[in-house]
Amino acid sequence: MKGVNIFLADGFEDMEALATNDVLRRGGVKTQLVSVSDDPFVCSSRGVTIGVESFLSDFDGNHRGTDARDVMIFPGGMPGSKNLAACKPLIKAMRDHYAAGGTLAAICAAPGLVLSQLSDDLSGLEFTCFDGFETYLQEKGAKFVPAPAVTSGRVITGRSAGHSISFGLQILDRVKDAATVKEVDFSLHLVK
């Protein structure tokens, strides 16, 4: 699956989706907000309704040419993470995307609920997530690291809504370069 796509289901965490999207777009990354249903509007966990740019059903399953700069992003939030995890076509697309060489990124509850479905053996993977969701990945051999954001191979994870900027910057580093990350980070923290 080519490109950088943020997958949304009803109940997604506002900051984890939109702050991540903002960081990436500030860095010049063309992102798409993608609904896992065929509804053009998705409602966040805080009751904010947003329009999406495409649908999971728009993707044809062709992963030819996918590389590590192609990223599938899964925000947390409840019941958003549960809704993503229950979407069988999304889980299949995630597995195929990763097998083709793409990167996966998940934050908050999504590492535990969504990424845990990647494989039965996740030995060697380091990750972070919201407290209480780590056991889903630990049971498959992954190692929990209590950091704002963690990159482990082609998997990027974030801890919580408060770490959405750090999470977005880690993804930006994968897709662009260190100079772009520094520029975006500076612009976000600029005090006038």
Side-chain angles (χ1 to χ4, degrees), residues 2 9 30 46 85 90 92 108 118 122 149 162 172 183:
K2 296 298 285 177
K30 182 180 182 293
R46 302 288 176 256
L90 178 67
K92 180 183 182 332
C108 196
L118 180 60
L122 296 172
L172 184 61
E183 180 181 317

Side-chain angles (χ1 to χ4, degrees), residues 125-139:
L125 176 71
E126 292 187 345
F127 74 97
T128 194
C129 66
F130 193 74
D131 291 353
F133 290 91
E134 64 274 6
T135 57
Y136 294 95
L137 288 160
Q138 287 173 324
E139 289 172 352

Side-chain angles (χ1 to χ4, degrees), residues 8 22 43 53 64 67 70 82 87 103 126 143 146 157:
L8 303 178
D22 181 77
C43 187
E53 294 142 337
R64 195 172 321 117
D67 66 33
D70 297 308
K82 286 182 181 179
C87 181
T103 295
E126 292 187 345
K143 179 184 175 189
T157 52

Side-chain angles (χ1 to χ4, degrees), residues 1-7 20 24 29-34 59 63 65-75 90 93-94 97-98 101-106 115 151 153-157 167-176:
M1 182 178 300
K2 296 298 285 177
V4 178
N5 301 289
I6 301 173
F7 293 88
T20 301
L24 293 168
V29 177
K30 182 180 182 293
T31 61
Q32 283 195 93
L33 298 174
V34 182
F59 295 91
H63 295 276
T66 298
D67 66 33
R69 291 173 297 156
D70 297 308
V71 187
M72 291 180 73
I73 302 170
F74 312 108
L90 178 67
M94 174 185 72
H97 175 80
Y98 190 75
T103 295
L104 304 174
L115 289 184
T151 297
R154 291 183 290 114
V155 175
I156 301 167
T157 52
F167 176 66
L169 290 170
Q170 293 262 342
I171 299 167
L172 184 61
D173 188 51
R174 171 59 50 99
V175 177
K176 289 288 206 160

Side-chain angles (χ1 to χ4, degrees), residues 33-125:
L33 298 174
V34 182
S35 173
V36 297
S37 74
D38 287 327
D39 191 329
F41 298 99
V42 184
C43 187
S44 77
S45 61
R46 302 288 176 256
V48 176
T49 300
I50 65 163
V52 297
E53 294 142 337
S54 62
F55 307 96
L56 177 59
S57 60
D58 293 338
F59 295 91
D60 62 6
N62 179 0
H63 295 276
R64 195 172 321 117
T66 298
D67 66 33
R69 291 173 297 156
D70 297 308
V71 187
M72 291 180 73
I73 302 170
F74 312 108
M78 286 299 181
S81 291
K82 286 182 181 179
N83 291 334
L84 291 175
C87 181
K88 295 195 184 313
L90 178 67
I91 299 305
K92 180 183 182 332
M94 174 185 72
R95 290 174 179 154
D96 293 347
H97 175 80
Y98 190 75
T103 295
L104 304 174
I107 185 169
C108 196
L113 297 178
V114 179
L115 289 184
S116 65
Q117 296 186 58
L118 180 60
S119 169
D120 288 335
D121 182 8
L122 296 172
S123 300
L125 176 71

